[in-house]
Amino acid sequence: MIRAQTTRVRALVHSVLLTQQFFVPIALMLLVVEAILTYAIIQRVSYTEIDWQTYMQQVHGVLGGERNYTKLQGDTGPLVYPAGFVWIYSLLCALTNNGTHVRRAQYVFMGIYLATQALVLMIYRRARVPPLVLPLLVVSKRLHSIFVLRLFNDPVAMLFAYAAVLSMTRTGIRRWSGLLLSLGIAVKMNVQLLLPGAAFVWWRTGGLRTTVVQLVVVALSQVVIAAPFVYAFPHEYVARAFEYTRQFNFVWTVNWRFIGDRVFASHEWALILAAAHIALLVALAVVVWPRLSHSTLPTIVRQGFTRRAHSDVSATEVAVVMFSANFVGIVCARSLHYQFYAWYAHMLPLLLVHARLPLVAVPVVWLVIECAWNVFPSTHTSSLALLAAHIVILVGIFRAPTHAKLS
């Protein structure tokens, strides 16, 4: 009798934590907890002004008729984000009485936070991620701060990015993925880190034609969104909104504190990171991504050209390809500022599971990353710890078994 009861308890625990049987109720429960927790944070933790007023000053310049990006400034610096940012924050400006009603803005960002969580949970459900790791999505101190205590634009960009990833997992709405991804890029250009993965998924699902069409949609929508600026001052717009040579301030770096200011600011270091990023993307395309479908890159390339692409690409493959493409860009980023954690925090549980780390190592590696992002200012130790945790995940991604199933 006791043995039978023990067996039933073990089976129930297994079903709850490691299968999809109870995923939906667990996800709904977490969303309710998140709503309560985030509301309490807004009520009890003081808002910290960093860039919100600068955002408002920048959009006020646009609303006042200025179209030259080089003349749009704020207290903390010039406008360096694409036009989608301008239009969205212009709307926020109107909703918050010209930016003065900060608490109302916090509630808007609470909605963005919960919508992001919902999108990520739907991606995880379709990718069959075990519910065991879902609590890691909701316990980040830094992530709550970025969304509702700082009001950065990174969460807005990532909301569109996750919507794009989710659309790629659903055949009926996959055609909208390029537009959704472009909307994210139009808010902040970091979403471009997902483009190599997106191109691979488009090639897998529709071959050359689909890939070209989606890339054209991305490019044309950028022109449409930025039309007033592109028409009036095209060079100034592109130079500021997509400034790839921007020099970051060593004071704010989270990931490279241990290399010192001199190396951090050097052109050689920038070239090394760029080369590493390209090499890792090539390695993913050659080794990791084809393995998810039990194929090879030459076969996938040939199928795309001969229009024998597969429309039944699994949600797991889509999520792993997109998230890993983004992740290697973050590992090789010239600098990571504190708000940049929003670029990949919601991806970490899936990547940790896919890396096939020992079960006890999953929360440990996640905690190391979370702690590193909560050390201010960063130290040699915290940035080294962050790099080490990233390398653990990266090695795990390349060593993961060939099958794509996560649970």
Side-chain angles (χ1 to χ4, degrees):
M1 176 67 74
I2 296 176
R3 181 176 296 176
Q5 290 178 339
T6 302
T7 301
R8 285 196 293 270
V9 170
R10 287 178 177 174
L12 178 61
V13 171
H14 180 272
S15 296
V16 171
L17 298 181
L18 298 175
T19 74
Q20 300 298 299
Q21 186 175 352
F22 296 95
F23 189 101
V24 173
I26 292 172
L28 291 174
M29 181 185 67
L30 289 174
L31 281 176
V32 171
V33 170
E34 273 285 56
I36 296 171
L37 175 62
T38 307
Y39 180 80
I41 290 172
I42 292 173
Q43 299 300 315
R44 296 179 177 273
V45 183
S46 298
Y47 162 78
T48 301
E49 171 58 38
I50 298 180
D51 282 336
W52 172 257
Q53 290 304 321
T54 291
Y55 295 164
M56 293 298 102
Q57 291 162 0
Q58 291 165 349
V59 300
H60 277 141
V62 176
L63 296 174
E66 182 59 67
R67 295 296 180 264
N68 187 337
Y69 249 58
T70 63
K71 295 182 179 180
L72 294 167
Q73 301 280 334
D75 289 340
T76 61
L79 175 57
V80 293
Y81 308 120
F85 160 84
V86 172
W87 308 134
I88 290 174
Y89 274 80
S90 294
L91 176 61
L92 289 172
C93 180
L95 291 173
T96 59
N97 192 23
N98 289 319
T100 60
H101 203 313
V102 175
R103 180 57 58 88
R104 188 178 298 164
Q106 288 182 281
Y107 290 140
V108 172
F109 273 81
M110 175 180 168
I112 293 171
Y113 180 76
L114 294 175
T116 301
Q117 290 284 30
L119 289 172
V120 172
L121 286 166
M122 284 188 277
I123 293 169
Y124 277 40
R125 172 78 171 96
R126 294 188 62 78
R128 304 188 64 80
V129 175
L132 178 65
V133 300
L134 296 186
L136 298 180
L137 291 172
V138 304
V139 295
S140 171
K141 176 184 176 182
R142 176 59 65 186
L143 205 56
H144 284 93
S145 173
I146 291 168
F147 275 79
V148 299
L149 299 179
R150 305 294 190 272
L151 310 181
F152 287 119
N153 62 333
D154 306 79
V156 182
M158 293 310 299
L159 177 67
F160 290 114
Y162 288 118
V165 175
L166 180 63
S167 73
M168 288 182 175
T169 69
R170 305 179 68 92
T171 304
I173 59 174
R174 189 173 287 155
R175 63 183 178 275
W176 297 104
S177 58
L179 178 60
L180 289 167
L181 203 62
S182 185
L183 290 174
I185 295 170
V187 177
K188 194 162 187 176
M189 68 176 187
N190 70 281
V191 179
Q192 292 176 103
L193 293 176
L194 282 81
L195 273 177
F200 184 90
V201 172
W202 291 329
W203 189 275
R204 283 269 293 131
T205 56
L208 177 63
R209 180 178 180 275
T210 294
T211 305
V212 171
V213 168
Q214 292 291 352
L215 290 174
V216 169
V217 167
V218 171
L220 288 181
S221 57
Q222 289 299 308
V223 175
V224 171
I225 293 169
F229 307 103
V230 171
Y231 177 78
F233 297 95
H235 178 267
E236 288 81 356
Y237 174 75
V238 174
R240 275 290 174 84
F242 296 97
E243 185 183 355
Y244 295 100
T245 58
R246 187 183 310 157
Q247 180 64 53
F248 291 96
N249 194 328
F250 185 66
V251 172
W252 298 105
T253 188
V254 177
N255 56 333
W256 300 122
R257 179 72 61 188
F258 64 90
I259 66 173
D261 194 357
R262 182 178 177 182
V263 174
F264 176 85
S266 69
H267 180 63
E268 292 77 12
W269 179 243
L271 291 177
I272 289 172
L273 291 175
H277 185 196
I278 294 171
L280 285 172
L281 283 173
V282 171
L284 286 173
V286 173
V287 178
V288 177
W289 297 342
R291 197 165 60 191
L292 295 167
S293 57
H294 306 282
S295 186
T296 63
L297 185 61
T299 299
I300 291 171
V301 171
R302 185 169 59 253
Q303 288 173 336
F305 278 119
T306 56
R307 298 186 180 180
R308 290 200 298 270
H310 300 283
S311 61
D312 59 344
V313 175
S314 73
T316 299
E317 180 180 350
V318 171
V320 171
V321 168
M322 295 294 285
F323 288 6
S324 60
N326 185 62
F327 182 70
V328 297
I330 288 167
V331 172
C332 299
R334 181 78 179 271
S335 183
L336 294 175
H337 293 183
Y338 286 90
Q339 64 269 33
F340 297 0
Y341 190 33
W343 296 2
Y344 76 129
H346 288 101
M347 303 181 185
L348 286 173
L350 184 145
L351 291 173
L352 286 164
V353 170
H354 178 71
R356 292 298 193 273
L357 301 179
L359 187 59
V360 69
V362 170
V364 172
V365 174
W366 179 89
L367 187 61
V368 169
I369 293 173
E370 173 72 14
C371 289
W373 282 96
N374 279 282
V375 174
F376 178 78
S378 64
T379 65
H380 288 202
T381 300
S382 67
S383 60
L384 276 169
L386 181 63
L387 178 61
H390 284 170
I391 290 174
V392 168
I393 296 174
L394 197 59
V395 171
I397 290 172
F398 278 94
R399 295 185 61 185
T402 58
H403 53 82
K405 187 178 177 182
L406 294 181
S407 67

